[in-house]
Amino acid sequence: MNITYILKDSYHIMQKDLLALRRNRESVAALIILPIAFLLLFGYIFPSATTEQHMPMGIVNLDNGQASSALVTQIENMNKNSGAMNIVNYSSVEEAKTQIDRGNVYGTFIIPPGFSNNLTNGKSGNLIVYVDNSNPQLSSSVESAASNTITALNGMQAEINVVKMGSTTVNAQSIVFPFTQNIETTIPGKSNYFNFLAPGLMIMIVMITVMTGIPEAISKEREMGTFDGMLSAPINQISIILGYTASLCVKGFAQVILVLAIAIIFFGVTIQGSILLAFFLLLLGIFSFVGIGILAVSSSKNQATGTTIVNLIMFPMMFLAGIFFPIQQMPWFMQDISKIIPLTYAADAMRKVMLLNANISDVIIQILILVAFGIVTMSLAVILFRRSMTT
Amino acid sequence: MTEYALELNNITKKFGDFTAVNDLSLRVERGEIFGFLGPNGAGKSTTIRMLCTLAKPTSGSALIAGYDLIKDPSKVREKIGLVAEKMIMYDDLTAAENLRFFGKLYKMPKQKREERIDLLFNLVDMQKWKDTQISKFSTGMKQRINVIRALLPEPEILFMDEPTLGLDPQTTFAIREIIRDINNNGVTVILTTHAMTEAEALSHRIAIIDHGKIAALDTPQNLKNIISKSDTSIFKTKITNLTSKMVEKIRSLKVVTALAQQDDNNLKISANGMGALNQIIDTIRIEGGDISSITNSNEPTLEDVFLTVTGKEIRDHVNEKSNILEHNSNPQTRVR
């Protein structure tokens, strides 16, 4: 076994594979379309950071006092300015409920009779917020918008009351709102979901390319018969694995650069950390995934089986690795599963480096886990691959 | 330099319960063209794959160009070339790029590699197609490239699995010319075929192989002599109202050693001993058969030999692709 020859042969195989790729327009298109499709899909289907705007909301005033109609006007004006809710007036609760059932409004404010009387008699004026909670996500948006509205109205009214009580010497706002807050974040500027998503997405795209690429390439060679040409040539079988891995690395890196460019240009993603360290993590990710791909192709007779095995492993990894949803939000048993997935560590390290400017010592545990995982799967893969080659 | 190009000792290959190659032992001398002749599924391809290090024998040993197949496969690989049934080339690359890639895997120095590629393109008269993508080639053109690809590293032994299967007569002829040509330059050629004419036209010696075993091994002429020297006679007969009952009656005769039904009317019968012809004619007449012709071939062909040694007929499929399924459902190759 001569290392120089193994590496040279790997290089020739990579060169051959990339040349074939360049000649095949469909393969080039597939290589480019996959990351773009993923990016756009995941960039737009998830709820954005800001809450929903222009939610249709009813209002029913059953009181005929002065205070209630002033409140209705205030709610209408406030939402006209903020754009949070579109307010529609209904004359009866029944009418409002019918509109809710038809899905025309998400909920309604109900001002009960005697509202104005309560206020003039020094009591609190209670109003009902009736919400359609058949869609939990929508109902919580509406609830928070409604309660924001009420809080704001309370504040305004309280300030007016303070002024009426005659304390003109003090700032009315500091009496009503003695505490205020300024939020500062690790990432300067406004954070968005895409900032969270981009690092994980980059590593996931590389994973998909490598894990599906290996079975695809090797099964294709096997079925075409070209594999016999390589196996009957005086080369080490390791060269075939290395050659294809190298070729897939090149393809994966091309995709990553594309993803990064789109993320920066269209989604305003910023990179805080070292790009070099990020690329090193990508390489490490490839090293830890490629073994799984080779294991799959070695234990299957044809391309269909190989691809099925890879998909079976890949899909849970995609969703449990905390790329789309934070792992902390998952139930405990799912969190345990995500801890044995290498993609979890790769995505985590990638996010820390890209978003938090972490250095290599901050992510050393993740790196060690990936290396260990890679060594185990690769060793198994090489043994199985060699055995499957000479049946 | 060792005496033999191939030396096989009790090579056996099993796939589960199925024995594809059964205790094969033979020697092939350097400079020979050696043919494995047999129907699909006889074990020819499996044998070639084992000898090219692509499959491991279940038991047995072999020396290829003097190197141990099991212990020293990488040395074996340096000495052999393979023309497999599935063509070894990448459709997206040009003809020259394909050769160049494999030349690199064989560690050929650049200058020598390019010179040899030029020479080989001239050999198959395809110099002007050098930089054309394989996907644009016809089957015949592809097979020429497939052959010179195997010849690129100057192998001592060239293995060819069905080298003319599915080719037009013109290309078939050209490929055979190349095989003779390289053999004259000292290359040992091991080929498999299920075409009688091919085996006969090319091989110095032929091994008739059936069910993974050698049924007969000799020069084409000596194989034919098996028939002319023995009491065995081959009859061809045409019966206008041939029935399956009639076929079974003839088959059950003691003098008949093998029988092949060629189509609705024609039979080929291998028979032994005195009075065989009379018995066959009597049987046909008793069954009410209407014999329109009967001939006794004086000059036996390899096809007759195959019928005699294996008890079944091998069809000349030289210009048609066939597969195992077709083969099994083919009444003409029914095993006695």
Side-chain angles (χ1 to χ4, degrees), chain B residues 152-168:
Chain B
L152 181 68
E154 301 181 272
E156 287 178 22
I157 305 170
L158 182 66
F159 289 94
M160 306 181 98
D161 198 359
E162 303 275 6
T164 61
L165 184 69
L167 299 182
D168 58 90

Side-chain angles (χ1 to χ4, degrees), chain B residues 126-140:
Chain B
M126 282 185 64
Q127 192 61 252
K128 63 173 175 180
W129 298 99
K130 219 175 141 179
D131 295 316
T132 306
Q133 238 167 283
I134 296 290
S135 53
K136 300 194 172 87
F137 284 1
S138 70
T139 313

Side-chain angles (χ1 to χ4, degrees), chain B residues 34-155:
Chain B
F34 188 90
F36 283 105
L37 174 68
N40 288 324
K44 296 170 301 184
S45 289
T46 309
T47 307
I48 292 280
R49 286 185 67 79
M50 281 193 287
L51 300 182
C52 288
T53 74
L54 296 175
K56 272 207 180 85
T58 312
S59 62
S61 65
L63 290 179
I64 316 286
Y67 293 103
D68 192 307
L69 178 66
I70 314 291
K71 288 179 195 141
D72 216 352
S74 52
K75 277 283 174 201
V76 171
R77 289 183 192 128
E78 286 172 17
K79 302 291 175 192
I80 60 167
L82 169 64
V83 178
E85 207 181 326
K86 280 184 186 172
M87 292 182 199
I88 299 172
M89 62 186 78
Y90 298 93
D91 275 359
D92 290 330
L93 304 187
T94 68
E97 282 165 351
N98 265 290
L99 263 64
R100 225 166 265 145
F101 168 62
F102 283 102
K104 285 174 188 169
L105 296 190
Y106 282 89
K107 283 104 195 152
M108 295 175 79
K110 193 178 175 187
Q111 201 193 336
K112 191 186 169 191
R113 187 178 72 216
E114 293 304 318
E115 279 170 18
R116 178 112 180 121
I117 289 175
D118 256 356
L119 185 105
L120 289 169
F121 273 106
N122 281 330
L123 177 73
V124 290
D125 202 15
M126 282 185 64
Q127 192 61 252
K128 63 173 175 180
W129 298 99
K130 219 175 141 179
D131 295 316
T132 306
Q133 238 167 283
I134 296 290
S135 53
K136 300 194 172 87
F137 284 1
S138 70
T139 313
M141 287 160 88
K142 282 184 188 171
Q143 183 64 345
R144 287 169 206 241
I145 302 298
N146 194 26
V147 171
I148 62 172
R149 187 209 66 85
L151 290 174
L152 181 68
E154 301 181 272

Side-chain angles (χ1 to χ4, degrees), chain B residues 112-308:
Chain B
K112 191 186 169 191
R113 187 178 72 216
E114 293 304 318
E115 279 170 18
R116 178 112 180 121
I117 289 175
D118 256 356
L119 185 105
L120 289 169
F121 273 106
N122 281 330
L123 177 73
V124 290
D125 202 15
M126 282 185 64
Q127 192 61 252
K128 63 173 175 180
W129 298 99
K130 219 175 141 179
D131 295 316
T132 306
Q133 238 167 283
I134 296 290
S135 53
K136 300 194 172 87
F137 284 1
S138 70
T139 313
M141 287 160 88
K142 282 184 188 171
Q143 183 64 345
R144 287 169 206 241
I145 302 298
N146 194 26
V147 171
I148 62 172
R149 187 209 66 85
L151 290 174
L152 181 68
E154 301 181 272
E156 287 178 22
I157 305 170
L158 182 66
F159 289 94
M160 306 181 98
D161 198 359
E162 303 275 6
T164 61
L165 184 69
L167 299 182
D168 58 90
Q170 201 188 347
T171 316
T172 301
F173 183 75
I175 298 281
R176 283 183 193 159
E177 276 302 299
I178 295 168
I179 295 173
R180 287 194 197 97
D181 199 35
I182 56 166
N183 179 247
N184 285 336
N185 287 326
V187 178
T188 309
V189 179
I190 312 292
L191 59 91
T192 76
T193 179
H194 61 268
M196 295 291 172
T197 43
E198 173 129 315
E200 199 170 356
L202 286 171
S203 315
H204 299 130
R205 285 195 303 153
I206 295 169
I208 294 177
I209 184 165
D210 192 36
H211 295 300
K213 282 193 140 173
I214 295 176
L217 193 166
D218 218 322
T219 61
Q221 192 51 51
N222 284 349
L223 285 174
K224 288 186 223 163
N225 289 346
I226 295 175
I227 295 178
S228 20
K229 281 182 184 161
S230 70
D231 296 338
T232 307
S233 322
I234 304 288
F235 301 108
K236 277 184 185 167
T237 175
K238 184 174 185 180
I239 301 162
T240 44
N241 57 347
L242 186 66
T243 62
S244 55
K245 195 186 167 208
M246 217 179 281
V247 174
E248 290 315 310
K249 282 275 179 193
I250 302 166
R251 207 192 281 276
S252 63
L253 285 174
K254 270 209 176 99
V255 289
V256 173
T257 54
L259 180 146
Q261 187 175 349
Q262 293 180 303
D263 54 38
D264 285 350
N265 304 108
N266 288 295
L267 291 180
K268 198 178 216 186
I269 305 161
S270 166
N272 239 330
M274 300 293 287
L277 184 57
N278 285 339
Q279 281 192 45
I280 292 165
I281 293 173
D282 286 349
T283 311
I284 298 169
R285 296 296 294 151
I286 289 164
E287 290 300 315
D290 180 11
I291 303 172
S292 76
S293 78
I294 190 157
T295 53
N296 180 356
S297 50
N298 292 327
E299 184 61 45
T301 63
L302 262 186
E303 250 167 277
D304 301 336
V305 179
F306 194 89
L307 181 66
T308 309

Side-chain angles (χ1 to χ4, degrees), chain A residues 108-359:
Chain A
T108 184
F109 293 100
I110 301 167
I111 304 175
F115 179 87
S116 302
N117 267 344
N118 279 346
L119 282 180
T120 40
N121 294 336
K123 292 182 192 163
S124 294
N126 181 40
L127 63 124
I128 299 161
V129 181
Y130 182 82
V131 177
D132 167 23
N133 64 349
S134 61
N135 183 333
Q137 231 149 3
L138 277 186
S139 79
S140 82
S141 298
V142 171
E143 276 168 43
S144 81
S147 98
N148 283 345
T149 306
I150 302 299
T151 309
L153 288 174
N154 272 334
M156 279 158 63
Q157 193 57 49
E159 283 177 36
I160 294 166
N161 291 348
V162 167
V163 174
K164 272 187 187 161
M165 286 161 96
S167 328
T168 43
T169 48
V170 291
N171 184 349
Q173 202 180 1
S174 69
I175 292 175
V176 181
F177 298 111
F179 307 117
T180 59
Q181 59 183 358
N182 270 334
I183 295 174
E184 285 182 8
T185 54
T186 48
I187 307 159
K190 212 173 171 191
S191 165
N192 60 29
Y193 179 69
F194 218 81
N195 262 319
F196 167 77
L197 188 69
L201 207 57
M202 280 168 66
I203 206 131
M204 192 186 81
I205 285 169
V206 172
M207 177 190 82
I208 293 174
T209 303
V210 172
M211 273 181 66
T212 57
I214 285 272
E216 210 180 282
I218 290 177
S219 309
K220 192 181 161 201
E221 293 241 10
R222 228 193 248 166
E223 275 152 40
M224 294 290 292
T226 45
F227 216 47
D228 288 347
M230 282 204 268
L231 292 175
S232 64
I235 61 167
N236 193 305
Q237 284 156 2
I238 304 284
S239 297
I240 301 175
I241 296 182
L242 285 180
Y244 270 110
T245 309
S247 167
L248 286 165
C249 279
V250 173
K251 292 179 198 174
F253 265 89
Q255 290 180 322
V256 159
I257 289 165
L258 194 66
V259 168
L260 206 58
I262 295 175
I264 292 171
I265 296 166
F266 294 100
F267 294 96
V269 168
T270 50
I271 301 168
Q272 308 299 322
S274 146
I275 288 261
L276 276 179
L277 188 55
F279 280 162
F280 166 73
L281 284 174
L282 282 174
L283 262 180
L284 197 60
I286 293 168
F287 172 68
S288 65
F289 304 135
V290 75
I292 304 174
I294 298 165
L295 277 173
V297 73
S298 305
S299 49
S300 58
K301 285 224 154 44
N302 55 43
Q303 187 171 351
T305 329
T307 310
T308 309
I309 295 175
V310 163
N311 282 340
L312 219 59
I313 301 169
M314 213 167 60
F315 267 97
M317 278 177 57
M318 277 165 59
F319 290 102
L320 292 177
I323 288 174
F324 303 116
F325 321 102
I327 294 167
Q328 292 76 5
Q329 289 179 0
M330 297 177 190
W332 62 269
F333 55 93
M334 283 299 183
Q335 292 197 26
D336 283 350
I337 296 175
S338 81
K339 277 178 198 150
I340 56 166
I341 296 173
L343 186 60
T344 307
Y345 301 98
D348 188 35
M350 199 66 179
R351 198 173 291 131
K352 284 194 168 123
V353 168
M354 279 180 62
L355 301 183
L356 299 180
N357 193 11
N359 58 33

